[in-house]
Amino acid sequence: MKLIQILRVAVIPVLTVLSLLSASNKVLADYLTSQGSGGNYRYELWSTDDNSGYYLKIWLNEASPKSDAYSTTRTFPSTREALIDFDCNYAERSLPECPR
């Protein structure tokens, strides 16, 4: 009987806490920050789960919203840099930041 009481009081709470801690790490995921379009393309701007970077998922305008992305960019340190990349390379805008 004492063994069952020890399990209830000590082991089960410890296992519960450990499982909650490990589950919280698995829940982290990238999240959608914004959406937009330009030229023949549309994009979703995503943030990494720790907010250390941003990347774009890009589709042709006529592509189904449920289709896989046409392209996924590298990770940028800021939303500004990610959107400049989209404007220069997909929307074909002439910005001072665009390479000539």
Side-chain angles (χ1 to χ4, degrees), residues 47-81:
S47 174
T48 56
D49 59 5
D50 60 358
N51 288 324
S52 65
Y54 302 88
Y55 62 93
L56 297 165
K57 291 184 180 181
I58 300 167
W59 290 263
L60 290 169
N61 276 333
E62 64 267 7
S64 165
K66 295 182 181 182
S67 66
D68 289 338
Y70 166 79
S71 178
T72 301
T73 65
R74 66 180 176 86
T75 302
F76 296 92
S78 69
T79 58
R80 180 179 186 277
E81 289 182 46

Side-chain angles (χ1 to χ4, degrees), residues 81 84-89 93-100:
E81 289 182 46
I84 287 172
D85 181 75
F86 178 81
D87 286 341
C88 295
N89 296 311
R93 295 198 172 114
S94 295
L95 302 175
E97 294 91 342
C98 295
R100 307 264 173 198

